[in-house]
C-alpha cells in the first residue's frame, strides 16, 4: 500500500506571517481555514481583485490585510509561509520560484508537486484538534471524514483534557514516574469495553 509521508505539525499562526497570493475562491477558502483555526493569524492577501467575502473577513479579524496589486518579489519580505492561489498556473510557478529563492515555505494550490506543505481538513473539539490528509488524493474525502469524526467525538472529551491538565500540573516526581501515573489514569480510554469497570 502507498504510504502518506507528510509529517503533520501544528503552526502557531499568530506568531507567523502568511502571504496569500490570489483573492478568489481558493484564496478565500485558505484564509478562512487559517482564521477559523487561529482568529489572530497574521495574513496578508495580495491580489488584483478580491471577492467581497474576503473584504468582509477584514471586518471580523484584526490581523488580515488585503493589498490590491500584482504579486512582486518584495511581498515575500518578512513572510514565513506563502500560499499561491491565483488562477494562473505559470504565475503561481513564478511565485514558487521567488519563494524558493527567499527560503519561504510555499503551498501552490493548483500544483501539489510544488507544495512544501498541504493544508489539512481539521476536526476541532475545544482543545482537541485532528488534522486529516489524504496525501492529496481526495480533499473531498478528507472533508467528509472530518464531518464523521466531528460527530463521533463526544464534547465531553474537552473536560477530560482539562482534568488531565490539572492532574499533570500537580504530579510530582521524575519524568518516568509522571508518565507511568498518567498512562495508568488514562488506561481506561484504550481498554476494550469488555474489560472496562
Ligand atoms: C494538495 C492540497 C494542497 C492544498 O491546498 O493545501 C489540495 C489540492 C487541491 N484541491 C483541489 C480541489 C478541492 N479541494 C477541496 C477542499 C480542500 N482542500 C484541502 C486541501 C488540499 N487540497 C491539499 C491536500 C489535502 C490532503 O492531503 O487531503 C482541504 C482539506 C484543506 C483546505 O483547503 O483548507 C479542503 C477541505 C476543507 C474542509 O475540511 O472542509 C475541495 C472540496 C470542497 O471545496 O468542498 C475540492 C474540489 C473537489 C475535489 O477535487 O476533491 C484541487 C483541484 C483543483 C481543480 O480541479 O482545479 C487541488 C489541486 C490538485 O489536486 O491538483
Ligand atoms: N488547493 C485547493 O484546495 C484548490 C485549488 N484550486 C486551484 O486554485 C486556483 C485558483 O482558483 P480560484 O481561487 O477559484 O480562482 P479565482 O479566479 O476565483 O481567483 C483568482 C485570483 O487570483 C488573482 N490574481 C491573478 N493574477 C494575479 C497576480 N498577478 N497577482 C496577484 N493576484 C493575481 C485574481 O485577482 C483573483 O483574486 C485554480 O487554478 C484551481 O485549479 C481550486 C480548488 C481547490
Amino acid at each position: 500500500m502507498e504510504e502518506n509521508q507528510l509529517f503533520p505539525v501544528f503552526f502557531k499562526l499568530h506568531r507567523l506571517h502568511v502571504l496569500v497570493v490570489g483573492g478568489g475562491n481558493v484564496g478565500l477558502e485558505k484564509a478562512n481555514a487559517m482564521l477559523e483555526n487561529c482568529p489572530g493569524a497574521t495574513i496578508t492577501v495580495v491580489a488584483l481583485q478580491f471577492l467581497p467575502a474576503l473584504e468582509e473577513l477584514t471586518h471580523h479579524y484584526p490581523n488580515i490585510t488585503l493589498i490590491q496589486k500584482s504579486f512582486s518579489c518584495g511581498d515575500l519580505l518578512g513572510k514565513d509561509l506563502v500560499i499561491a492561489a491565483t488562477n494562473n498556473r505559470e504565475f503561481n510557478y513564478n511565485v514558487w520560484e521567488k519563494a524558493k529563492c527567499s527560503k519561504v515555505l510555499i503551498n501552490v494550490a493548483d500544483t501539489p508537486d510544488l507544495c512544501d506543505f498541504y493544508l489539512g481538513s481539521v476536526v476541532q473539539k475545544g482543545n482537541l484538534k485532528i488534522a486529516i490528509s489524504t496525501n492529496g488524493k481526495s480533499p473531498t474525502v478528507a472533508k467528509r471524514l472530518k464531518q464523521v469524526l466531528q460527530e463521533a467525538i463526544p464534547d465531553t472529551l474537552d473536560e477530560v483534557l482539562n482534568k488531565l491538565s490539572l492532574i499533570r500540573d500537580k504530579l510530582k516526581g521524575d519524568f518516568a514516574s509522571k508518565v507511568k501515573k498518567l498512562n495508568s489514569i488514562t488506561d481506561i480510554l484504550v481498554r476494550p469495553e469488555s474489560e472496562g469497570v
Side-chain angles (χ1 to χ4, degrees), residues 3 48-49 54 69 77 87 114 118 131 156 158 178 185 193:
E3 300 288 335
L48 300 175
Q49 291 196 315
L54 253 169
K69 67 190 267 297
L77 274 175
N87 49 353
L114 293 180
Y118 293 164
T156 48
D158 198 46
K178 284 182 190 171
I185 298 168
E193 246 172 71

Side-chain angles (χ1 to χ4, degrees), residues 55-103:
E55 281 162 19
E56 185 67 24
L57 283 183
T58 63
H59 302 142
H60 300 287
Y61 297 96
N63 301 330
I64 175 164
T65 310
L66 311 188
I67 305 176
Q68 192 165 14
K69 67 190 267 297
S70 181
F71 164 83
S72 61
C73 205
D75 298 325
L76 290 165
L77 274 175
K79 305 303 188 300
D80 301 291
L81 301 171
V82 183
I83 298 177
T86 79
N87 49 353
N88 180 333
R89 210 177 166 84
E90 286 72 41
F91 195 79
N92 285 341
Y93 185 82
N94 167 47
V95 179
W96 174 81
E97 280 186 320
K98 302 281 188 311
K100 287 286 102 184
C101 287
S102 304
K103 301 261 180 228

Side-chain angles (χ1 to χ4, degrees), residues 43 51 57 70 89 105 113 115-116 132 135 139 156 171 178 183:
I43 303 172
L51 283 179
L57 283 183
S70 181
R89 210 177 166 84
L105 297 180
D113 281 349
C115 290
D116 294 323
I132 302 166
N135 215 8
T156 48
L171 280 182
K178 284 182 190 171
N183 277 337

Side-chain angles (χ1 to χ4, degrees), residues 15 24 36 40 62 74 83 90 92 107 127 140 145 148 153 156 166:
R15 297 164 63 134
E36 274 173 13
I83 298 177
E90 286 72 41
N92 285 341
N107 172 298
N127 290 286
T140 298
L145 190 54
V148 171
I153 295 168
T156 48
L166 288 176

